[in-house]
Amino acid sequence: MDIAAVNALPYEEFVNIFGNVVEKCPIVAAAVWSRRPFVSLTAVEAAISDFIDALPESGKEGILRCHPDLAGRDLQSGTLTRESREEQAGAGMDALSSPEASRIARLNDDYKERFGFPFVICARMNDKASILLQLSERCQNERAVERARGIEEVKKICRLRLQGLVLTDATNK
């Protein structure tokens, strides 16, 4: 779909298509729909980023809490969103050894206990080893630093998901 098709979408269809570019947060798509017409994919991304940035800290933490644990029970039970399942599988989170699975479960629990929201990282831009390393290292951050870092990761995930839905100008040439 190109940007003209995006701009022509009725509200319900827009939210249905873009409702998971920010994991389990269709309210984000609902909020940016009224910012149409968008001149480009970058403008859609900017509208989403502006919406997220305008949220109070509690709203940003709410967005982070919508994300599943990496290699967690949602992956094991098959209840991840299609996008998260593909992203985690691409990073090898669905093929952890038993010691790796135990380590990531422990680190996920430690992280959530420390910060009150799950560890978020753009799995498509990382592999299993870098995810485990960053999860371990980021547990040492201050809450405000980690909240901001998590939101930056959400934006990376959003950008890649948008690119999968909307043709860029370069793609149209």
Side-chain angles (χ1 to χ4, degrees):
M1 146 176 27
D2 64 14
I3 199 67
V6 170
N7 288 325
L9 290 171
Y11 172 81
E12 293 80 10
E13 218 173 317
F14 185 91
V15 173
N16 186 47
I17 292 169
F18 294 98
N20 203 47
V21 294
V22 176
E23 184 78 11
K24 296 183 181 176
C25 291
I27 190 72
V28 176
V32 302
W33 178 82
S34 62
R35 304 258 319 256
R36 298 167 312 121
F38 299 107
V39 296
S40 65
L41 175 62
T42 304
V44 178
E45 183 183 341
I48 291 170
S49 184
D50 290 348
F51 176 83
I52 293 170
D53 290 344
L55 291 171
E57 299 309 312
S58 61
K60 292 173 184 168
E61 288 186 13
I63 283 178
L64 295 173
R65 284 187 196 99
C66 289
H67 284 262
D69 286 345
L70 286 166
R73 80 172 174 273
D74 289 335
L75 177 64
Q76 306 309 319
S77 66
T79 57
L80 285 176
T81 63
R82 177 186 51 80
E83 295 91 345
S84 284
R85 183 177 61 252
E86 291 170 0
E87 291 158 356
Q88 288 199 31
M93 295 291 100
D94 63 340
L96 297 174
S97 67
S98 184
E100 289 170 330
S102 295
R103 180 170 180 234
I104 201 164
R106 180 181 45 77
L107 288 169
N108 275 330
D109 289 345
D110 291 350
Y111 185 97
K112 280 195 297 195
E113 184 176 319
R114 178 168 168 81
F115 299 113
F117 47 83
F119 173 75
V120 177
I121 190 168
C122 182
R124 286 172 60 185
M125 297 176 79
N126 290 277
D127 62 15
K128 176 174 53 174
S130 69
I131 288 170
L132 283 165
L133 177 65
Q134 288 191 53
L135 177 53
S136 179
E137 289 176 351
R138 285 173 52 189
C139 279
Q140 307 311 311
N141 286 340
E142 295 298 319
R143 183 183 181 95
V145 169
E146 195 51 32
R147 182 177 47 240
R149 177 69 186 274
I151 289 298
E152 290 308 310
E153 294 296 317
V154 165
K155 291 176 182 179
K156 291 176 189 176
I157 295 164
C158 176
R159 178 180 314 115
L160 293 172
R161 289 181 180 184
L162 282 170
Q163 289 172 355
L165 294 169
V166 181
L167 298 172
T168 61
D169 292 337
T171 311
N172 290 329
K173 291 181 181 174

